[in-house]
Amino acid sequence: MENCEALIIGGSAGSLDVLLRVLPAIRPDIKFPVIIVIHRKHGADSLLPELLSGRTRMEVKEAEEKEEIVPGTVYVAPSDYHLLVELNRTFSLDYSEKVNYSRPAIDVTFQTAAEVYKRKLVCLLLSGSNSDGVNGLKTVKEWGGTAIIQNPETAQVAFMPQQAKQHVKIDRILNIEDMAEFINLLS
Amino acid sequence: MELPLISDEQVEILLSDLLEHYGYDFTGYSKASLKRRVIRLYSLDKIPGFAEFRYKIINDNVYFKRFVEQITVNVTEMFRDPVFFKTLRDVVLPRLGTYPFIRIWLAGCSTGEEAYSIAILLKELNLLHKSLIYATDLNPSVLEKAGQGMFQLSYMKQYSENYILSGGKNDFSSYYTAKYSLAKFNDELRGKMIFSTHNLVSDHSFNEFQLILCRNVLIYFDRDLQHKVLELFDDSLEDLGYLALGTKETIDFSRISRKYKRLQSEKIWRKTN
């Protein structure tokens, strides 16, 4: 596998528990940014970065518009905005129509990042109850990136990774306990 | 669904066409978002090829309007971010109430939901009679819709909840009349609004205001254009006037920031003299 320049993790129902388990085991000196897009209720805004930052020594912050994407930092998509990656490796926010009934939509971040990082992008789709992320993973594959899903059989809600497995040529299917090791080896 | 591919170079070609043929300058917009909108429209309208797309935009005036309307984001709602509107209600508008006349500029008003929200606040504070809301947007078609003051009746439940969270005490439905699937807002509110086209990229300051609201517009602009637009706002704002931006927007990076003081935790700044 090529060097990883960005890891994006998308998830919906049942994915927070996975993050809380995996994040502490990720080496804080990884050489790429971790971008997290999780569906959640609008309004509970600063809570997720706060919750996650208690679980890692890496810096965890909400992604801000025009912010430069820095390796070794964990970025969380703000609630109620789509998070996009620009060619110059900064973030944009977008308040356009929901995609797959979701804002932020995992597809939007996966798709815009796919063109930017190309072969050096790794996207991981976790547990969830809708099919957001599936089209995004397709685009990631088209641009030569790596598509990974949580094992649907061990996901709290299997639908999302299951859909991805059905429609996309997935590179790896991981159980929760194997995720951190996989990520640590990406550097 | 496979996404049809339009390259970055092709997006650039479309943007220079727009500038050359219509004088619309989108070159300072954030590229990822713009490109996504262009691809979305290309696929929505089932355009057979890039050459046709380009030809249609240049030669078909009706399609050009659709193009501009579709690549800009016009999603909005009434009393979006209720806490923001509560601060307007409790802090900002009462202070402006001491002026003999209140001029408000709502830049990037889209289909008008915020204009009606602000008019309702002014009405409840007994300030509407001495206020004017200048609501501008670059799209003539959204302004036309805004002027009609009719919104989907099915959204009213959500808007009513937002209204109550923003500190509203009245029956929200007293502000509109249901007409089939639409809610028509009272003419009294509409009477204090002036809708007009204004392009933040190319048009100048046109008045002095005590309050300028521009929420979730700057996120679509690159830093240079954000600087420029913030200076336009600064030129258009009286001393001690207020500038309100979207939840994820800021003036912190900009040259005008040293003249401004932020209000509480909201994205509202007051111009100091």
Short mmCIF file of all heavy atoms in Angstrom, two decimals, chain B residues 100-121:
data_model
loop_
_atom_site.label_atom_id
_atom_site.label_comp_id
_atom_site.label_asym_id
_atom_site.label_seq_id
_atom_site.Cartn_x
_atom_site.Cartn_y
_atom_site.Cartn_z
N PRO B 100 -33.76 56.37 15.96
CA PRO B 100 -35.04 56.77 15.38
C PRO B 100 -35.46 55.89 14.21
O PRO B 100 -36.65 55.73 13.92
CB PRO B 100 -34.80 58.21 14.91
CG PRO B 100 -33.31 58.38 14.85
CD PRO B 100 -32.73 57.42 15.84
N PHE B 101 -34.46 55.30 13.54
CA PHE B 101 -34.76 54.50 12.36
C PHE B 101 -33.73 53.37 12.26
O PHE B 101 -32.54 53.60 12.48
CB PHE B 101 -34.70 55.40 11.11
CG PHE B 101 -35.34 54.77 9.93
CD1 PHE B 101 -36.72 54.69 9.83
CD2 PHE B 101 -34.56 54.24 8.91
CE1 PHE B 101 -37.33 54.10 8.74
CE2 PHE B 101 -35.16 53.63 7.82
CZ PHE B 101 -36.54 53.56 7.73
N ILE B 102 -34.18 52.18 11.98
CA ILE B 102 -33.26 51.02 11.96
C ILE B 102 -33.13 50.47 10.53
O ILE B 102 -34.13 50.10 9.92
CB ILE B 102 -33.77 49.90 12.89
CG1 ILE B 102 -34.03 50.44 14.30
CG2 ILE B 102 -32.77 48.75 12.94
CD1 ILE B 102 -34.74 49.44 15.20
N ARG B 103 -31.91 50.47 10.04
CA ARG B 103 -31.66 49.90 8.71
C ARG B 103 -30.86 48.61 8.86
O ARG B 103 -29.77 48.60 9.44
CB ARG B 103 -30.90 50.89 7.83
CG ARG B 103 -31.78 52.00 7.24
CD ARG B 103 -30.97 52.87 6.29
NE ARG B 103 -29.74 53.34 6.89
CZ ARG B 103 -29.65 54.42 7.67
NH1 ARG B 103 -30.74 55.15 7.92
NH2 ARG B 103 -28.50 54.77 8.19
N ILE B 104 -31.41 47.55 8.30
CA ILE B 104 -30.79 46.23 8.41
C ILE B 104 -30.49 45.70 7.01
O ILE B 104 -31.34 45.80 6.12
CB ILE B 104 -31.74 45.25 9.14
CG1 ILE B 104 -32.00 45.74 10.57
CG2 ILE B 104 -31.18 43.82 9.15
CD1 ILE B 104 -33.08 44.99 11.31
N TRP B 105 -29.30 45.18 6.83
CA TRP B 105 -28.95 44.56 5.54
C TRP B 105 -28.79 43.06 5.76
O TRP B 105 -27.96 42.63 6.56
CB TRP B 105 -27.65 45.16 4.99
CG TRP B 105 -27.21 44.56 3.68
CD1 TRP B 105 -27.94 43.80 2.82
CD2 TRP B 105 -25.91 44.70 3.07
NE1 TRP B 105 -27.19 43.46 1.72
CE2 TRP B 105 -25.95 43.99 1.85
CE3 TRP B 105 -24.73 45.37 3.44
CZ2 TRP B 105 -24.84 43.92 1.00
CZ3 TRP B 105 -23.63 45.29 2.59
CH2 TRP B 105 -23.69 44.58 1.38
N LEU B 106 -29.60 42.32 5.03
CA LEU B 106 -29.50 40.87 5.04
C LEU B 106 -28.88 40.44 3.71
O LEU B 106 -29.54 40.45 2.68
CB LEU B 106 -30.91 40.28 5.22
CG LEU B 106 -31.08 38.79 5.32
CD1 LEU B 106 -30.23 38.21 6.43
CD2 LEU B 106 -32.55 38.47 5.58
N ALA B 107 -27.58 40.15 3.75
CA ALA B 107 -26.84 39.87 2.51
C ALA B 107 -26.82 38.37 2.24
O ALA B 107 -26.47 37.58 3.09
CB ALA B 107 -25.41 40.40 2.64
N GLY B 108 -27.26 38.00 1.03
CA GLY B 108 -27.38 36.57 0.70
C GLY B 108 -28.64 36.02 1.33
O GLY B 108 -28.62 35.01 2.03
N CYS B 109 -29.76 36.69 1.07
CA CYS B 109 -31.00 36.36 1.80
C CYS B 109 -31.69 35.12 1.24
O CYS B 109 -32.62 34.61 1.85
CB CYS B 109 -31.96 37.54 1.77
SG CYS B 109 -32.63 37.89 0.13
N SER B 110 -31.26 34.66 0.06
CA SER B 110 -31.89 33.50 -0.57
C SER B 110 -33.40 33.69 -0.66
O SER B 110 -33.87 34.77 -1.02
CB SER B 110 -31.51 32.23 0.21
OG SER B 110 -32.00 31.10 -0.47
N THR B 111 -34.18 32.68 -0.27
CA THR B 111 -35.62 32.75 -0.47
C THR B 111 -36.36 33.49 0.65
O THR B 111 -37.59 33.44 0.73
CB THR B 111 -36.20 31.32 -0.62
OG1 THR B 111 -35.55 30.46 0.32
CG2 THR B 111 -35.93 30.80 -2.01
N GLY B 112 -35.63 34.15 1.54
CA GLY B 112 -36.26 35.12 2.43
C GLY B 112 -36.64 34.66 3.83
O GLY B 112 -37.13 35.46 4.63
N GLU B 113 -36.42 33.41 4.16
CA GLU B 113 -36.86 32.91 5.47
C GLU B 113 -36.30 33.72 6.63
O GLU B 113 -36.98 33.94 7.64
CB GLU B 113 -36.46 31.43 5.62
CG GLU B 113 -37.36 30.44 4.87
CD GLU B 113 -37.03 30.31 3.38
OE1 GLU B 113 -36.33 31.20 2.82
OE2 GLU B 113 -37.49 29.34 2.76
N GLU B 114 -35.03 34.14 6.51
CA GLU B 114 -34.45 34.94 7.60
C GLU B 114 -35.05 36.34 7.66
O GLU B 114 -35.21 36.90 8.73
CB GLU B 114 -32.93 35.03 7.45
CG GLU B 114 -32.21 33.81 7.98
CD GLU B 114 -30.72 34.05 8.16
OE1 GLU B 114 -30.18 35.01 7.58
OE2 GLU B 114 -30.09 33.25 8.87
N ALA B 115 -35.34 36.91 6.50
CA ALA B 115 -35.93 38.25 6.49
C ALA B 115 -37.25 38.25 7.26
O ALA B 115 -37.51 39.14 8.08
CB ALA B 115 -36.16 38.71 5.05
N TYR B 116 -38.08 37.22 7.03
CA TYR B 116 -39.35 37.15 7.75
C TYR B 116 -39.13 36.86 9.23
O TYR B 116 -39.87 37.37 10.09
CB TYR B 116 -40.27 36.11 7.09
CG TYR B 116 -40.79 36.60 5.74
CD1 TYR B 116 -40.04 36.40 4.59
CD2 TYR B 116 -41.97 37.34 5.64
CE1 TYR B 116 -40.47 36.89 3.35
CE2 TYR B 116 -42.40 37.84 4.43
CZ TYR B 116 -41.65 37.61 3.28
OH TYR B 116 -42.07 38.13 2.07
N SER B 117 -38.11 36.08 9.54
CA SER B 117 -37.82 35.81 10.96
C SER B 117 -37.46 37.11 11.68
O SER B 117 -37.93 37.38 12.79
CB SER B 117 -36.64 34.83 11.09
OG SER B 117 -36.85 33.68 10.32
N ILE B 118 -36.61 37.92 11.03
CA ILE B 118 -36.19 39.18 11.65
C ILE B 118 -37.36 40.14 11.77
O ILE B 118 -37.53 40.82 12.79
CB ILE B 118 -35.03 39.80 10.85
CG1 ILE B 118 -33.79 38.90 10.95
CG2 ILE B 118 -34.69 41.21 11.35
CD1 ILE B 118 -32.78 39.17 9.88
N ALA B 119 -38.20 40.18 10.73
CA ALA B 119 -39.37 41.06 10.79
C ALA B 119 -40.28 40.66 11.96
O ALA B 119 -40.84 41.53 12.65
CB ALA B 119 -40.13 41.00 9.47
N ILE B 120 -40.40 39.37 12.21
CA ILE B 120 -41.23 38.92 13.34
C ILE B 120 -40.62 39.39 14.67
O ILE B 120 -41.33 39.90 15.55
CB ILE B 120 -41.38 37.37 13.31
CG1 ILE B 120 -42.32 36.98 12.17
CG2 ILE B 120 -41.91 36.84 14.65
CD1 ILE B 120 -42.40 35.48 11.90
N LEU B 121 -39.30 39.29 14.80
CA LEU B 121 -38.64 39.78 16.01
C LEU B 121 -38.91 41.28 16.19
O LEU B 121 -39.25 41.74 17.28
CB LEU B 121 -37.13 39.56 15.95
CG LEU B 121 -36.59 38.14 16.00
CD1 LEU B 121 -35.07 38.18 16.06
CD2 LEU B 121 -37.13 37.40 17.22
#
